[in-house]
Amino acid sequence: MLKADQFEARDTDDGSVTAWEGHLWIGKDLNKLWVKTEGERSSEGTASAEIQLLYSRAIDANWDLQFGLRHDADPDPERNWAVFGFNGVSPYWFEIDSALFIEEDGQVNLRFEAEYEFMLTQKWVLSPEVEVNWFSEDDDGLGIGSGLAEIEAGLRLRYEINREFAPYVGINYERLLGDTEDIAAAAGTDSSETQLVAGIRFWF
């Protein structure tokens, strides 16, 4: 299965940005090979690009344990991480994707993502989602401080032309927190931003 959860244009303070988030998996019920990717690109180049290669093992009907490797191609310098993840659907049908990343120099990144789908009609779907990142150490190269570093929340309304293809519009909010917010303030960078988005979601 190939699925693009997000393939969208974002109206940011610095101009238009193309963002993507998606995955590919191959396998059967118990064992799968996953490839996940996400990133952002503007007219000035790629701001971030991440790819993960994971082995996924089902531990029950709704949950998978995942482990493998993550490579950050951008921004410089490139980084490599070991990945230990937990992916599935919680009670009340929240889609959960959580992971522990351990970088080759000892940095630890905890990431938690949650998404829910409200079926307004058979075609219209309202989807709120949130992502939170925590880091164990300061990272001067990325301008990241230790502790809870950033939160991203979005609300997207899509129209499913069919189950496999759905254009959408929405709003995305990003905020830096804690030491990371202090680092951004010292550099003269805004710590929060609200973006209008438009894109397509598809799978096959």
Side-chain angles (χ1 to χ4, degrees):
M1 179 182 187
L2 173 65
K3 183 178 182 181
D5 291 303
Q6 297 174 12
F7 187 71
E8 63 191 29
R10 297 181 177 179
D11 183 20
T12 74
D13 293 342
D14 297 323
S16 180
V17 170
T18 300
W20 71 89
E21 180 177 337
H23 63 261
L24 164 72
W25 64 256
I26 301 169
K28 297 185 180 295
D29 291 340
L30 292 181
N31 302 290
K32 296 183 177 73
L33 177 68
W34 280 66
V35 179
K36 297 181 180 180
T37 182
E38 62 179 76
E40 292 185 0
R41 181 175 176 82
S42 69
S43 59
E44 298 180 356
T46 302
S48 64
E50 170 189 311
I51 187 166
Q52 299 179 39
L53 179 63
L54 307 171
Y55 166 72
S56 183
R57 171 74 178 183
I59 56 175
D60 70 14
N62 294 318
W63 294 100
D64 290 353
L65 287 177
Q66 300 180 330
F67 61 89
L69 299 173
R70 163 185 156 190
H71 176 68
D72 296 349
D74 289 288
D76 289 330
E78 297 183 4
R79 288 172 168 81
N80 296 299
W81 310 71
V83 183
F84 302 91
F86 194 54
N87 178 289
V89 180
S90 73
Y92 305 103
W93 303 104
F94 287 91
E95 296 183 21
I96 304 296
D97 191 0
S98 58
L100 169 69
F101 304 104
I102 303 175
E103 198 251 346
E104 52 196 336
D105 291 331
Q107 172 75 286
V108 176
N109 172 205
L110 284 172
R111 179 185 296 168
F112 177 84
E113 301 178 56
E115 180 181 357
Y116 191 79
E117 294 185 348
F118 292 99
M119 298 298 298
L120 303 180
T121 69
Q122 292 295 318
K123 294 286 189 179
W124 290 98
V125 183
L126 184 65
S127 180
E129 60 188 71
V130 63
E131 176 182 321
V132 179
N133 277 281
W134 176 93
F135 292 87
S136 63
E137 303 174 0
D138 293 348
D139 188 328
D140 295 334
L142 295 180
I144 290 172
S146 61
L148 193 59
E150 57 189 359
I151 184 170
E152 181 175 346
L155 184 66
R156 291 166 175 81
L157 176 66
R158 69 178 185 267
Y159 179 77
E160 295 186 340
I161 297 173
N162 53 50
R163 294 293 293 174
E164 294 82 11
F165 186 83
Y168 64 83
V169 295
I171 190 168
N172 197 64
Y173 175 75
E174 298 177 355
R175 181 170 181 84
L176 304 179
L177 304 168
D179 291 346
T180 304
E181 181 180 8
D182 294 340
I183 293 171
T189 303
D190 291 338
S191 62
S192 65
E193 183 175 18
T194 301
Q195 308 158 345
L196 298 178
V197 306
I200 56 172
R201 174 183 172 120
F202 61 88
W203 61 269
F204 58 86

